[in-house]
Short mmCIF file of all heavy atoms in Angstrom, two decimals:
data_model
loop_
_atom_site.label_atom_id
_atom_site.label_comp_id
_atom_site.label_asym_id
_atom_site.label_seq_id
_atom_site.Cartn_x
_atom_site.Cartn_y
_atom_site.Cartn_z
N LEU B 239 127.74 116.50 72.16
CA LEU B 239 127.01 115.60 73.04
C LEU B 239 127.04 116.05 74.51
O LEU B 239 126.48 115.41 75.37
CB LEU B 239 127.57 114.18 72.90
CG LEU B 239 127.16 113.54 71.59
CD1 LEU B 239 127.80 112.15 71.45
CD2 LEU B 239 125.66 113.42 71.43
N ASN B 240 127.70 117.19 74.75
CA ASN B 240 127.55 117.75 76.10
C ASN B 240 126.15 118.28 76.24
O ASN B 240 125.45 118.50 75.25
CB ASN B 240 128.55 118.89 76.31
CG ASN B 240 129.94 118.36 76.43
OD1 ASN B 240 130.15 117.29 76.96
ND2 ASN B 240 130.87 119.12 75.86
N PHE B 241 125.75 118.46 77.47
CA PHE B 241 124.47 119.10 77.68
C PHE B 241 124.52 120.49 77.05
O PHE B 241 125.59 121.04 76.83
CB PHE B 241 124.14 119.19 79.16
CG PHE B 241 123.94 117.87 79.79
CD1 PHE B 241 124.19 117.68 81.13
CD2 PHE B 241 123.56 116.78 79.05
CE1 PHE B 241 124.01 116.46 81.71
CE2 PHE B 241 123.38 115.53 79.63
CZ PHE B 241 123.62 115.36 80.96
N ALA B 242 123.35 121.02 76.76
CA ALA B 242 123.25 122.23 75.99
C ALA B 242 124.21 123.33 76.49
O ALA B 242 124.83 124.00 75.72
CB ALA B 242 121.83 122.74 76.02
N GLN B 243 124.26 123.49 77.77
CA GLN B 243 125.20 124.45 78.33
C GLN B 243 125.33 124.15 79.80
O GLN B 243 124.49 123.45 80.37
CB GLN B 243 124.73 125.86 78.11
CG GLN B 243 123.36 126.12 78.74
CD GLN B 243 122.78 127.44 78.32
OE1 GLN B 243 122.81 127.81 77.15
NE2 GLN B 243 122.26 128.16 79.28
N GLU B 244 126.36 124.69 80.42
CA GLU B 244 126.51 124.52 81.85
C GLU B 244 125.40 125.31 82.55
O GLU B 244 125.27 126.51 82.36
CB GLU B 244 127.88 125.04 82.29
CG GLU B 244 128.34 124.56 83.63
CD GLU B 244 128.55 123.07 83.66
OE1 GLU B 244 129.04 122.50 82.67
OE2 GLU B 244 128.16 122.49 84.70
N LYS B 245 124.56 124.59 83.32
CA LYS B 245 123.40 125.28 83.87
C LYS B 245 123.40 125.15 85.37
O LYS B 245 123.89 124.20 85.94
CB LYS B 245 122.11 124.65 83.32
CG LYS B 245 121.85 124.91 81.87
CD LYS B 245 120.70 124.11 81.38
CE LYS B 245 120.95 122.61 81.46
NZ LYS B 245 119.96 121.82 80.77
N PHE B 246 122.80 126.12 86.00
CA PHE B 246 122.53 126.03 87.42
C PHE B 246 121.03 125.88 87.56
O PHE B 246 120.26 126.52 86.82
CB PHE B 246 123.02 127.28 88.13
CG PHE B 246 124.52 127.42 88.10
CD1 PHE B 246 125.14 128.27 87.20
CD2 PHE B 246 125.32 126.62 88.93
CE1 PHE B 246 126.50 128.37 87.15
CE2 PHE B 246 126.70 126.72 88.88
CZ PHE B 246 127.30 127.60 87.99
N PRO B 247 120.57 125.08 88.50
CA PRO B 247 119.13 124.86 88.65
C PRO B 247 118.41 126.20 88.84
O PRO B 247 118.86 127.06 89.60
CB PRO B 247 119.01 124.00 89.88
CG PRO B 247 120.34 123.37 90.05
CD PRO B 247 121.34 124.31 89.49
N PHE B 248 117.36 126.36 88.14
CA PHE B 248 116.43 127.48 88.26
C PHE B 248 117.05 128.85 87.86
O PHE B 248 116.47 129.88 88.17
CB PHE B 248 115.86 127.58 89.71
CG PHE B 248 115.52 126.25 90.31
CD1 PHE B 248 116.23 125.78 91.38
CD2 PHE B 248 114.50 125.52 89.78
CE1 PHE B 248 115.94 124.52 91.92
CE2 PHE B 248 114.18 124.27 90.31
CZ PHE B 248 114.90 123.78 91.39
N GLU B 249 118.19 128.82 87.17
CA GLU B 249 118.84 130.10 86.87
C GLU B 249 118.08 130.90 85.82
O GLU B 249 118.23 132.12 85.70
CB GLU B 249 120.29 129.90 86.43
CG GLU B 249 120.43 129.23 85.09
CD GLU B 249 121.86 129.22 84.59
OE1 GLU B 249 122.72 129.68 85.34
OE2 GLU B 249 122.06 128.73 83.47
N ASN B 250 117.31 130.22 84.99
CA ASN B 250 116.50 130.94 83.98
C ASN B 250 115.14 130.30 83.85
O ASN B 250 114.92 129.18 84.35
CB ASN B 250 117.24 131.01 82.65
CG ASN B 250 117.52 129.64 82.10
OD1 ASN B 250 116.59 128.83 81.94
ND2 ASN B 250 118.78 129.34 81.82
N ILE B 251 114.28 131.01 83.22
CA ILE B 251 112.92 130.54 82.99
C ILE B 251 112.62 130.68 81.52
O ILE B 251 112.90 131.73 80.92
CB ILE B 251 111.87 131.31 83.82
CG1 ILE B 251 112.11 131.10 85.31
CG2 ILE B 251 110.46 130.90 83.47
CD1 ILE B 251 111.30 131.99 86.19
N LYS B 252 112.08 129.66 80.95
CA LYS B 252 111.63 129.75 79.56
C LYS B 252 110.11 129.69 79.57
O LYS B 252 109.52 128.81 80.17
CB LYS B 252 112.19 128.60 78.75
CG LYS B 252 112.05 128.77 77.26
CD LYS B 252 112.50 127.50 76.54
CE LYS B 252 113.86 127.68 75.96
NZ LYS B 252 114.26 126.50 75.11
N ILE B 253 109.51 130.69 78.97
CA ILE B 253 108.04 130.71 78.90
C ILE B 253 107.66 130.45 77.44
O ILE B 253 108.27 131.01 76.53
CB ILE B 253 107.49 132.04 79.45
CG1 ILE B 253 105.94 132.00 79.46
CG2 ILE B 253 107.97 133.25 78.68
CD1 ILE B 253 105.33 133.12 80.29
N GLY B 254 106.73 129.56 77.24
CA GLY B 254 106.38 129.20 75.87
C GLY B 254 104.88 129.04 75.68
O GLY B 254 104.14 128.79 76.63
N ALA B 255 104.47 129.23 74.45
CA ALA B 255 103.06 129.02 74.13
C ALA B 255 103.01 128.43 72.73
O ALA B 255 103.87 128.71 71.87
CB ALA B 255 102.28 130.34 74.18
N GLY B 256 102.04 127.60 72.51
CA GLY B 256 101.99 126.97 71.19
C GLY B 256 100.59 126.47 70.83
O GLY B 256 99.66 126.50 71.64
N TYR B 257 100.57 126.01 69.62
CA TYR B 257 99.36 125.47 69.04
C TYR B 257 99.52 123.95 69.02
O TYR B 257 100.62 123.46 68.69
CB TYR B 257 99.16 126.05 67.66
CG TYR B 257 98.23 125.28 66.75
CD1 TYR B 257 96.86 125.52 66.79
CD2 TYR B 257 98.73 124.32 65.84
CE1 TYR B 257 96.00 124.81 65.95
CE2 TYR B 257 97.86 123.62 65.03
CZ TYR B 257 96.52 123.87 65.07
OH TYR B 257 95.67 123.17 64.26
N LEU B 258 98.49 123.21 69.36
CA LEU B 258 98.64 121.76 69.32
C LEU B 258 97.57 121.12 68.42
O LEU B 258 96.43 121.62 68.36
CB LEU B 258 98.65 121.15 70.72
CG LEU B 258 97.60 121.50 71.77
CD1 LEU B 258 96.44 120.55 71.69
CD2 LEU B 258 98.26 121.41 73.15
N TYR B 259 98.00 120.06 67.80
CA TYR B 259 97.15 119.39 66.82
C TYR B 259 97.19 117.90 67.09
O TYR B 259 98.27 117.29 67.11
CB TYR B 259 97.64 119.72 65.41
CG TYR B 259 96.91 119.00 64.32
CD1 TYR B 259 95.69 119.49 63.84
CD2 TYR B 259 97.41 117.81 63.76
CE1 TYR B 259 95.00 118.84 62.82
CE2 TYR B 259 96.72 117.15 62.76
CZ TYR B 259 95.50 117.64 62.30
OH TYR B 259 94.82 116.98 61.34
N ASN B 260 96.06 117.33 67.34
CA ASN B 260 96.01 115.87 67.61
C ASN B 260 95.82 115.12 66.31
O ASN B 260 94.87 115.36 65.57
CB ASN B 260 94.83 115.61 68.57
CG ASN B 260 94.56 114.14 68.75
OD1 ASN B 260 93.43 113.71 68.67
ND2 ASN B 260 95.60 113.36 69.00
N PHE B 261 96.77 114.23 65.99
CA PHE B 261 96.72 113.59 64.68
C PHE B 261 96.52 112.07 64.72
O PHE B 261 96.35 111.47 63.67
CB PHE B 261 97.96 113.92 63.86
CG PHE B 261 99.25 113.43 64.46
CD1 PHE B 261 99.70 112.15 64.22
CD2 PHE B 261 100.04 114.25 65.26
CE1 PHE B 261 100.90 111.69 64.74
CE2 PHE B 261 101.21 113.79 65.83
CZ PHE B 261 101.65 112.51 65.54
N ASN B 262 96.51 111.47 65.89
CA ASN B 262 96.29 110.01 65.86
C ASN B 262 94.79 109.69 65.88
O ASN B 262 93.95 110.57 66.10
CB ASN B 262 97.00 109.34 67.07
CG ASN B 262 96.33 109.66 68.37
OD1 ASN B 262 95.94 110.80 68.63
ND2 ASN B 262 96.23 108.67 69.24
N LYS B 263 94.47 108.47 65.59
CA LYS B 263 93.06 108.04 65.54
C LYS B 263 92.93 106.72 66.31
O LYS B 263 93.71 105.79 66.12
CB LYS B 263 92.59 107.82 64.09
CG LYS B 263 92.55 109.08 63.25
CD LYS B 263 91.36 109.95 63.58
CE LYS B 263 91.39 111.26 62.82
NZ LYS B 263 91.66 112.42 63.63
N ASN B 264 91.94 106.66 67.14
CA ASN B 264 91.65 105.42 67.86
C ASN B 264 90.18 105.42 68.31
O ASN B 264 89.39 106.24 67.84
CB ASN B 264 92.63 105.20 69.03
CG ASN B 264 92.63 106.38 69.99
OD1 ASN B 264 91.60 107.01 70.21
ND2 ASN B 264 93.79 106.71 70.55
N GLU B 265 89.85 104.53 69.23
CA GLU B 265 88.46 104.39 69.68
C GLU B 265 87.86 105.71 70.18
O GLU B 265 86.70 106.03 69.94
CB GLU B 265 88.44 103.34 70.80
CG GLU B 265 87.07 102.92 71.26
CD GLU B 265 86.31 102.06 70.24
OE1 GLU B 265 86.96 101.53 69.29
OE2 GLU B 265 85.08 101.93 70.36
N PHE B 266 88.68 106.49 70.84
CA PHE B 266 88.23 107.78 71.39
C PHE B 266 87.71 108.68 70.26
O PHE B 266 86.69 109.38 70.44
CB PHE B 266 89.44 108.44 72.08
CG PHE B 266 89.16 109.84 72.59
CD1 PHE B 266 88.50 110.03 73.79
CD2 PHE B 266 89.56 110.95 71.85
CE1 PHE B 266 88.26 111.32 74.25
CE2 PHE B 266 89.32 112.24 72.32
CZ PHE B 266 88.66 112.41 73.52
#
Side-chain angles (χ1 to χ4, degrees):
Chain B
L239 288 176
N240 288 325
F241 294 153
Q243 59 190 45
E244 198 64 39
K245 289 172 297 192
F246 294 101
F248 319 113
E249 68 171 4
N250 59 55
I251 296 170
K252 192 185 258 187
I253 185 166
Y257 161 86
L258 48 91
Y259 176 83
N260 172 228
F261 63 86
N262 70 319
K263 294 284 175 250
N264 56 34
E265 188 70 17
F266 175 81

